[in-house]
Amino acid sequence: MCGIVGVLGKGPVAELLVDALKRLEYRGYDSAGVATLENGQIGRRRAEGKLRNLEELLKVEPLHGTSGIGHTRWATHGKPVEANAHPHMTDDVAVVHNGIIENFRELKAQLVAEGAPFSSDTDTEVIAHLITRELRAGKDPVAAVYQTLAHLQGAFALAMIFRGYDDLMIVARQGSPLAIGYGDGEMFVGSDAIALAPFTDQVAYLEDGDWAVITREGVAIHDRQGQSVERPVAKSLAAGLVVDKGNYRHFMAKEIHEQPEVVGHTLAHYLDLANYQVSLPDLPLDFSQVTRLSLSACGTAFYSCFVAKYWFERWAKLPVDVDIASEFRYREIAMDQGGAALFVSQSGETADTLASLRYCRDQRQHVLSVVNVQESSIARESDVVLPTLGGPEIGVASTKAFTCQLTVLACLAIAAGKARGVIGPELEAELVKALVEVPRHMATILRDETPYETLAHSLSKARDVLYLGRGTSYPIALEGALKLKEISYLHAEGYAAGELKHGPIALIDEGVPVIVIAPRDNLFDKTVSNMQEVAAREGKIILVSDADPTSTGCAVQTMLRVPTVHPFVTPLVYALPVQMIAYHTAVFMGTDVDQPRNLAKSVTVE
Ligand code: M6R
């Protein structure tokens, strides 16, 4: 989603701004821009498309200012064209914005009636005109911003610079994250600490309602009421993170291949490997007393919750509600006091997941989260954070974050089963051993990508692709379909295999590939019956399984072999084939694998 950077520097900042924006590219964007102050005047450059277009423009029309702001835009209001790219400005102020100003229509109508000249379709531009109105009424920038913030409804993060004020930047946070980086005689602002990593590791995070007045010498932070507040400055973990593709063609390929290692790290964090036991941090709740666990998340993180539902219910006999966070937050569900709610998010900034978390806090639930970005809002607002140790995930399509989420949730399900007396020492050791073997099985699958490359040719010609699975393979079918959709743009749907004859079977003919996720477990024979229904209608079966395809009695067009694993860990292992199907199909089709169209990595708006 939109990325914000800002620098009050010692020398020209345009190049620094673009470099910082590159570190935010993974969030997804469709245009970019920077503005700096030169001899007190605001100069701006903007370009549609990738950052290289902005870089080319800056070569021809450089900016020399030593203070400036930059932005990568992910279109919400208005098409992804240069006129809508940020910064938005008047002669007096330039603004970059992440989020949505919900009441911008009313504000715009008022400003237009007063004669403000609008030049974009964005909601952001109202902010520039509101501040300008206050400045022209004689207020200084601090008072003008404070007055303007009071008019804005919605979720946003803002950074602003002002004509004639070379040593001033004002920023604000209401719902969308913003970090301030402290340098030596320089100051930095970024949507996340990754953007600031080359500049400084001393970072403070604004809280909702905060706004800050920044000069090269320091920062004055105020809360919504205008009261002065302190926010801790801490050493950022992002500084040491390496963000490059290594020898891989895409971040997604690198991240797929990192899975044996990062899942191994995550396991080592949550298991006592010497004794084949789980070893979790102290939790704020006793699972033996919990009557219902509520899980919510979005996208791929939601599918990891969905797998976890099967795990908690099967192995801990703990009833679980699993919800898409954008639905959960508005359901106004009554929750028993002292209950437990768990949120899963790679970025830790997903707006709907964060809103669901806050709802549960208000309902006095114990709040647990599984996040990859430990400095994120979701992590900071949870009672207990169970980190996934996946490292930065840059590809928009989530891969290693998913399997690391599953890893943490599997360990948590075992811990819950133990606490509830369902899992005894022997079973615990059996399940832990199964988990420990997962990285090895993942590495085996990753060793030969040829079958996936071959399959990509035929899949790329499909109109629709169906994914089927039962039990924990059902969420994996959903995840497989999501992955294929988002990076290859092919239409794909996942179904519970047993649902096939209740509707989706109408789609099947010789042109429809059906990818069947079917580990040889207690549900295998049931899934085979569904495969037979597909085969009878000449659907093309692609079987992802450890079973012998001849044992199914169906014509299997493509066999994707998976090692035989304990049924508890099948979702962790079968996640990889569905990722590779999507990856190779997208590569074959020539799409932008790491930054697929229309998608953002961190979805900080509703
Ligand atoms: O950062 P989060 O895990 O909260 O993000 C949730 C979804 O936006 C994310 O999983 C999305 O569905 C991915 N693009 C899927 O590959």
Side-chain angles (χ1 to χ4, degrees):
M1 200 125 280
C2 304
I4 287 178
V5 296
V7 180
L8 294 178
K10 291 178 177 167
V13 294
E15 205 175 310
L16 297 182
L17 291 169
V18 174
D19 282 349
L21 288 175
K22 282 184 186 163
R23 293 176 69 85
L24 292 175
E25 269 193 304
Y26 74 96
R27 297 164 73 96
Y29 69 105
D30 40 49
S31 60
V34 292
T36 71
L37 275 176
E38 216 165 312
N39 301 322
Q41 304 297 320
I42 301 169
R44 170 179 72 176
R45 304 287 181 266
R46 298 179 296 173
E48 211 175 299
K50 295 291 175 194
L51 275 168
R52 62 177 168 271
N53 300 342
L54 180 64
E55 282 184 295
E56 289 305 317
L57 178 65
L58 283 164
K59 278 186 200 152
V60 187
E61 298 174 31
L63 290 173
H64 303 288
T66 58
S67 47
I69 50 180
H71 190 265
T72 43
R73 173 174 189 256
W74 185 82
T76 55
H77 296 71
K79 291 188 177 149
V81 294
E82 185 188 327
N84 290 330
H86 299 212
H88 288 284
M89 62 179 280
T90 65
D91 288 345
D92 298 314
V93 62
V95 182
V96 288
H97 163 220
N98 175 11
I100 292 176
I101 306 300
E102 288 172 0
N103 58 336
F104 89 99
R105 282 184 196 78
E106 300 90 288
L107 295 171
K108 186 168 178 175
Q110 211 177 60
L111 288 159
V112 167
E114 292 168 14
F118 276 80
S119 57
S120 77
D121 303 320
T122 65
D123 50 342
T124 308
E125 199 181 348
V126 297
I127 304 168
H129 289 295
L130 285 170
I131 294 173
T132 301
R133 183 170 76 182
E134 302 301 329
L135 290 170
R136 291 186 185 164
K139 293 202 172 79
D140 65 21
V142 175
V145 169
Y146 186 48
Q147 182 70 38
T148 298
L149 291 175
H151 291 296
L152 304 180
Q153 289 167 13
F156 51 81
L158 304 172
M160 296 153 273
I161 54 172
F162 304 85
R163 177 164 66 111
Y165 290 84
D166 177 66
D167 192 20
L168 176 67
M169 184 180 307
I170 303 183
V171 298
R173 174 195 168 146
Q174 175 61 58
S176 296
L178 203 61
I180 298 177
Y182 291 69
D184 181 12
E186 303 173 287
M187 292 297 289
F188 308 94
V189 168
S191 295
D192 64 33
I194 290 184
L196 304 181
F199 307 137
T200 178
D201 62 1
Q202 295 301 304
V203 172
Y205 292 91
L206 293 188
E207 294 191 2
D208 270 352
D210 285 357
W211 56 287
V213 180
I214 306 175
T215 68
R216 287 178 178 80
E217 291 314 309
V219 184
I221 305 179
H222 310 274
D223 65 12
R224 207 185 306 271
Q225 286 72 38
Q227 298 298 316
S228 178
V229 286
E230 297 285 330
R231 301 296 174 216
V233 182
K235 190 171 160 58
S236 163
L237 301 173
L241 298 177
V242 180
V243 181
D244 72 38
K245 285 194 270 227
N247 292 329
Y248 291 93
R249 189 168 159 195
H250 300 103
F251 278 109
M252 183 179 179
K254 177 174 174 248
E255 288 158 6
I256 287 175
H257 282 266
E258 280 172 351
Q259 289 176 106
E261 190 185 340
V262 293
V263 166
H265 281 158
T266 307
L267 284 170
H269 191 75
Y270 292 101
L271 298 178
D272 168 357
L273 294 168
N275 297 303
Y276 288 115
Q277 287 176 348
V278 284
S279 160
L280 273 92
D282 285 341
L283 298 177
L285 75 172
D286 175 356
F287 269 113
S288 68
Q289 304 302 312
V290 173
T291 50
R292 204 160 192 93
L293 176 66
S294 162
L295 303 181
S296 53
C298 301
T300 289
F302 168 73
Y303 296 138
S304 70
C305 292
F306 204 172
V307 171
K309 175 180 168 71
Y310 285 85
W311 279 336
F312 280 106
E313 293 187 343
R314 161 78 176 80
W315 300 100
K317 301 289 174 227
L318 173 60
V320 168
D321 288 323
V322 63
D323 277 275
I324 293 168
S326 55
E327 290 299 314
F328 178 86
R329 63 182 292 188
Y330 294 114
R331 272 174 56 208
E332 298 188 22
I333 181 171
M335 304 181 91
D336 291 340
Q337 205 172 333
L342 189 147
F343 302 89
V344 179
S345 174
Q346 187 286 129
S347 63
E349 299 294 351
T350 301
D352 287 315
T353 311
L354 185 56
S356 301
L357 180 154
R358 289 176 178 161
Y359 178 82
C360 289
R361 285 213 82 89
D362 291 345
Q363 298 284 313
R364 303 201 179 202
Q365 302 298 292
H366 296 295
V367 172
L368 290 81
S369 65
V370 175
V371 294
N372 199 34
V373 181
Q374 291 188 47
E375 294 153 326
S376 60
S377 306
I378 290 176
R380 282 181 288 124
E381 295 190 28
S382 301
D383 297 329
V384 164
V385 183
L386 301 170
T388 49
L389 304 178
E393 189 180 67
I394 305 299
V396 163
S398 193
T399 52
K400 63 176 180 172
F402 178 59
T403 45
C404 286
Q405 287 161 359
L406 291 178
T407 303
V408 177
L409 292 165
C411 295
L412 192 64
I414 298 175
K418 268 175 85 172
R420 297 169 68 78
V422 185
I423 295 180
E426 257 179 52
L427 182 54
E428 179 180 13
E430 178 187 323
L431 299 178
V432 169
K433 277 183 193 155
L435 281 170
V436 170
E437 286 176 7
V438 164
R440 178 168 60 84
H441 294 309
M442 287 178 157
T444 305
I445 293 172
L446 294 172
R447 217 165 281 146
D448 184 11
E449 299 186 45
T450 327
Y452 299 91
E453 289 164 4
T454 311
L455 174 64
H457 296 222
S458 61
L459 274 192
S460 66
K461 298 187 189 78
R463 185 190 64 228
D464 305 295
V465 181
L466 296 186
Y467 286 73
L468 302 180
R470 281 176 180 263
T472 51
S473 298
Y474 168 37
I476 298 301
L478 294 169
E479 167 63 2
L482 176 72
K483 219 81 306 166
L484 187 68
K485 260 188 270 219
E486 68 178 336
I487 60 169
S488 73
Y489 317 144
L490 286 174
H491 176 243
E493 296 300 336
Y495 286 99
E499 268 294 290
L500 186 69
K501 51 185 152 312
H502 298 287
I505 201 164
L507 294 173
I508 291 177
D509 62 24
E510 67 285 354
V512 178
V514 181
I515 299 175
V516 185
I517 320 291
R520 210 157 14 102
D521 57 15
N522 61 330
L523 298 172
F524 179 70
D525 292 340
K526 307 274 176 207
T527 309
V528 167
S529 305
N530 304 125
M531 276 172 65
Q532 279 159 352
E533 293 156 10
V534 173
R537 286 152 188 91
E538 298 187 3
K540 290 182 192 151
I541 295 171
I542 295 130
L543 179 61
V544 186
S545 179
D546 56 333
D548 175 356
T550 57
S551 71
T552 65
C554 302
V556 171
Q557 200 199 37
T558 301
M559 178 69 204
L560 298 173
R561 279 191 192 286
V562 178
T564 299
V565 299
H566 190 289
F568 178 57
V569 299
T570 52
L572 274 154
V573 174
Y574 281 69
L576 272 63
V578 300
Q579 295 167 355
M580 301 236 283
I581 291 170
Y583 175 73
H584 285 290
T585 306
V587 169
F588 182 73
M589 294 175 78
T591 58
D592 188 345
V593 170
D594 284 332
Q595 289 164 29
R597 68 183 183 203
N598 305 337
L599 289 178
K601 181 70 182 160
S602 174
V603 183
T604 51
V605 295
E606 276 193 62

